[in-house]
Amino acid sequence: MISQMRRFNRTVTQRIGALDDTFLSRGRPLGQARVLWEIGTGGIQVRTLRSRLGLDSGYLSRLLRALEAGGLVVVGADPGDGRIRTVRLTQAGLAERAELDRLSDERAASILRPLSGRQRGRLAAAMAEVERLLTASMVSIAAADPRHPDARHCVREYFAELAGRFDGGFDPARSISADDDELTPPAGLLLVATLRGDPVGCGALKFHGGAPTEVKRMWVSPAIRGLGLGRRLLAELEARAAERGAHTLRLETNETLTEAIALYRAAGYREVDAFNSEPYAHHWFQKTLT
Amino acid sequence: MISQMRRFNRTVTQRIGALDDTFLSRGRPLGQARVLWEIGTGGIQVRTLRSRLGLDSGYLSRLLRALEAGGLVVVGADPGDGRIRTVRLTQAGLAERAELDRLSDERAASILRPLSGRQRGRLAAAMAEVERLLTASMVSIAAADPRHPDARHCVREYFAELAGRFDGGFDPARSISADDDELTPPAGLLLVATLRGDPVGCGALKFHGGAPTEVKRMWVSPAIRGLGLGRRLLAELEARAAERGAHTLRLETNETLTEAIALYRAAGYREVDAFNSEPYAHHWFQKTLT
DNA sequence: CAAGTTCTCTGACTAAAGTCAGAGAATGGA
DNA sequence: TCCATTCTCTGACTTTAGTCAGAGAACTTG
């Protein structure tokens, strides 16, 4: 329950407010405290630290010197690359971080203390709901080059999932193609959904001139299913297709992809006769854009 | 929905995180931005501003000079008291504040935009629930002197409510006494519940040596009923009574106070024969502390 | 009306936060 | 091997934030 509360805290303050480091500083300047916390128990590269906290390199360097002087961290050269430096917490630093962790837990607990058991349960449920929905709203969708690492990641995951779910696996080479060029404007397009910078879903279009536009590569990361991202991706694809003058969208799918089939039906796609010979397909759908 | 979102924001960031003024600053130092916002559209006394934001008087004075130099505020003498100064926003200041307001609304709207109608509804409900419960958890209960303004306020409101609800009104003089001395240790005690510094409920004990301890003055502000404060007050009274060695608690109540009666029953009080001649009472309850 | 209080302001500080321009070592690629 | 790039560090700043001690005007109270 407490860790749930803290996760909520993180999401909400990140999305809605600022981080509350103030109470974490414990007499220390806030900048130092934030660095101390962000180093984590396993150590971290200085460059990573800098980009995560968005700090000036000179400023961070000085913060590290101060922490070093306090005996809380040690900075050493990275074994792989001599330019990069790595920070680790010392015993004292780890103890300090553990104390901050404890204080943070206690703070969460102090919020729960006045509530009855029933109220705590309801608070937890409501916080989880808020967190889920705010997370959903943080997902952003943008057109991407199919060669971009994020796009590659999504397509790889998509294929892996098909291979796992289809009876007898999945071999992309046997399936109807949708290669990089076919998903690059003007031939087609690929949308990638990202959450906090990580790719979490995709969807693509293949244009065929006056003939119906094909929907391909619809995939949502299992980690964030149930947040309506599939619907958003599909709606965005439809909007893009309409912009390009498409009147009809078509897609085919495998019988094992039940959520996808439900999604297409809910989005107004009607099942039609097979319009191609995709070996992995059992269902063919079509929708007329209005 | 947006104002609900912003109310939630305020509660959550106040309770869980820090205020997010950063995005409100718009190139201005944070301190100035906070002051600008807090002045409000109607103007404010400098002393109020200082206590609300918890600023040093010298610091605030300088912040006001800076805003004045920027043409955003005017500082003038208070008409009633020449020592007090009053700040008002100029046209430019009002425009700036309106802009901050707009940005804040837009920020809330941008969170909602990616969500479907259903999701928005669920988010609103969950946020309201979280806000309600965090508010409940912000109420603090402490023993107070019955002569303290907060205590007076509660008792006054309590009497006013009885007068409104009882058939034929309520005259404290006809009721069994529970005057200041009787509610002051060691004769008795008064608990006052406060929310953000405002009194929102009370409850009292009258000790009678070896005889059962009386519960008096149970009241919760209508504004925050349904948050379990009555139960908390009663539990706290019972704990205090137990500390003082009490074994039995007693109370009487009027038939019109149905929520109170339900509360007492739920808390384990059993209805007993009249043990006093309180003219306004219809029910007498008793509980043995274990 | 004298004495104490309240309120705001200025001067004189300190500490923290953050910026910018290099210097110098290490690395990767032509 | 040389040159551009990456990465960290130092020096030399500026701006914010915040504190503390009084001064002086305006009010309150005995």
Side-chain angles (χ1 to χ4, degrees):
Chain A
M1 171 80 204
I2 284 176
S3 73
Q4 141 83 52
M5 175 111 196
R6 293 185 60 186
R7 276 217 325 286
F8 169 74
N9 178 352
R10 227 170 299 137
T11 307
V12 165
T13 53
Q14 209 190 337
R15 183 66 181 162
I16 269 190
L19 297 92
D20 185 17
D21 303 299
T22 20
F23 88 101
L24 281 179
S25 40
R26 304 227 308 141
R28 208 181 311 287
L30 200 69
Q32 286 181 39
R34 278 168 58 193
V35 169
L36 183 65
W37 181 259
E38 199 64 35
I39 288 169
T41 50
I44 195 173
Q45 294 187 341
V46 170
R47 57 197 304 278
T48 315
L49 203 50
R50 198 170 50 237
S51 73
R52 277 221 199 129
L53 295 173
L55 298 173
D56 175 83
S57 75
Y59 184 30
L60 176 56
S61 181
R62 248 173 288 267
L63 290 174
L64 289 174
R65 287 304 83 67
L67 289 169
E68 223 170 16
L72 296 166
V73 307
V74 280
V75 180
D78 190 86
D81 185 334
R83 292 168 299 183
I84 297 172
R85 314 212 69 197
T86 307
V87 210
R88 276 186 316 99
L89 294 177
T90 61
Q91 280 303 320
L94 286 168
E96 183 62 19
R97 193 177 189 281
E99 177 63 11
L100 297 181
D101 207 31
R102 200 187 60 72
L103 284 172
S104 197
D105 273 355
E106 199 192 280
R107 187 187 170 94
S110 79
I111 291 175
L112 293 178
R113 205 166 298 127
L115 299 179
S116 71
R118 270 176 68 90
Q119 287 179 317
R120 289 179 201 190
R122 291 175 58 185
L123 181 58
M127 289 199 314
E129 176 96 335
V130 170
E131 190 194 345
R132 251 173 51 85
L133 289 163
L134 290 185
T135 302
S137 109
M138 281 165 82
V139 174
S140 60
I141 295 175
D145 189 304
R147 298 154 197 90
H148 187 281
D150 285 353
R152 291 270 186 253
H153 172 86
C154 287
V155 173
R156 202 180 321 120
E157 290 291 311
Y158 172 63
F159 286 164
E161 178 157 2
L162 296 188
R165 291 179 70 167
F166 289 1
D167 296 334
F170 173 73
D171 175 10
R174 290 190 53 215
S175 180
I176 294 177
S177 75
D179 63 31
D180 293 350
D181 291 339
E182 288 173 309
L183 302 187
T184 305
L189 69 84
L190 176 68
L191 296 180
V192 169
T194 50
L195 174 60
R196 298 189 195 89
D198 298 324
V200 292
C202 62
L205 292 178
K206 262 173 81 178
F207 297 114
H208 295 289
T213 300
E214 273 186 280
V215 174
K216 308 289 291 180
R217 305 283 184 260
M218 279 290 297
W219 175 77
V220 172
S221 161
I224 67 155
R225 284 187 195 163
L227 297 181
L229 178 55
R231 212 174 324 138
R232 267 182 78 196
L233 275 167
L234 195 56
E236 186 70 26
L237 285 176
E238 290 172 4
R240 303 272 184 148
E243 269 172 31
R244 284 283 301 266
H247 292 103
T248 306
L249 287 182
R250 277 182 171 177
L251 59 90
E252 73 276 348
T253 191
N254 184 281
E255 65 188 357
T256 64
L257 303 178
T258 50
E259 328 84 288
I261 292 170
L263 167 65
Y264 298 135
R265 287 196 205 281
Y269 286 74
R270 283 181 311 96
E271 188 154 5
V272 294
D273 291 336
F275 51 76
N276 65 19
S277 55
E278 166 64 46
Y280 293 107
H282 299 101
H283 301 278
W284 286 258
F285 286 95
Q286 180 166 320
K287 178 178 184 176
T288 306
L289 300 179
T290 48
Chain B
M1 171 82 206
I2 284 178
S3 74
Q4 141 84 51
M5 175 113 197
R6 292 185 62 185
R7 277 219 323 288
F8 170 75
N9 178 353
R10 225 169 300 139
T11 307
V12 165
T13 52
Q14 209 189 338
R15 180 66 181 165
I16 270 189
L19 297 91
D20 186 16
D21 302 299
T22 22
F23 90 100
L24 281 179
S25 36
R26 304 227 306 143
R28 208 181 311 288
L30 199 70
Q32 285 182 36
R34 279 168 58 193
V35 168
L36 182 66
W37 180 259
E38 199 65 34
I39 288 169
T41 50
I44 196 174
Q45 294 187 343
V46 170
R47 58 197 304 278
T48 314
L49 203 49
R50 197 169 53 237
S51 73
R52 279 223 198 126
L53 295 172
L55 297 173
D56 175 83
S57 74
Y59 184 29
L60 176 56
S61 180
R62 246 173 290 267
L63 290 174
L64 289 174
R65 285 305 83 65
L67 288 170
E68 223 169 16
L72 296 166
V73 308
V74 281
V75 181
D78 190 87
D81 184 335
R83 293 167 301 182
I84 297 173
R85 313 212 70 198
T86 307
V87 209
R88 276 187 313 99
L89 295 177
T90 60
Q91 280 304 321
L94 286 167
E96 183 63 19
R97 193 176 189 281
E99 177 63 12
L100 297 180
D101 207 31
R102 201 188 59 73
L103 283 172
S104 197
D105 273 356
E106 198 192 282
R107 189 189 170 92
S110 81
I111 291 176
L112 294 178
R113 205 166 298 125
L115 299 179
S116 70
R118 270 175 69 90
Q119 286 179 319
R120 289 180 201 187
R122 291 174 58 184
L123 181 59
M127 289 199 314
E129 176 94 338
V130 170
E131 190 193 346
R132 250 173 51 86
L133 288 162
L134 290 185
T135 302
S137 110
M138 281 165 82
V139 174
S140 60
I141 296 176
D145 189 304
R147 298 155 198 88
H148 188 280
D150 285 353
R152 290 271 185 252
H153 171 87
C154 288
V155 173
R156 201 178 323 118
E157 290 291 311
Y158 172 64
F159 286 163
E161 177 156 2
L162 297 188
R165 291 180 68 167
F166 290 1
D167 295 335
F170 173 73
D171 174 10
R174 292 189 52 215
S175 180
I176 294 176
S177 76
D179 63 31
D180 293 349
D181 290 338
E182 288 173 308
L183 302 187
T184 305
L189 68 84
L190 175 68
L191 296 180
V192 169
T194 50
L195 174 59
R196 299 190 194 88
D198 297 325
V200 291
C202 62
L205 294 177
K206 263 173 80 178
F207 297 114
H208 295 289
T213 300
E214 272 186 281
V215 173
K216 308 290 291 180
R217 305 282 185 259
M218 280 289 298
W219 175 77
V220 171
S221 160
I224 65 156
R225 280 184 199 167
L227 297 181
L229 179 55
R231 212 174 323 137
R232 267 182 78 196
L233 275 167
L234 194 56
E236 185 70 26
L237 285 175
E238 289 172 5
R240 304 272 184 146
E243 269 172 29
R244 284 283 303 265
H247 293 102
T248 306
L249 288 182
R250 276 182 173 177
L251 56 90
E252 72 277 345
T253 191
N254 184 282
E255 64 189 357
T256 64
L257 303 177
T258 51
E259 329 84 289
I261 292 170
L263 166 65
Y264 299 135
R265 287 197 206 280
Y269 286 75
R270 283 180 313 95
E271 188 152 6
V272 294
D273 291 338
F275 51 75
N276 64 20
S277 54
E278 166 64 45
Y280 294 106
H282 300 100
H283 301 279
W284 286 258
F285 286 96
Q286 178 166 322
K287 178 178 184 176
T288 306
L289 300 178
T290 49

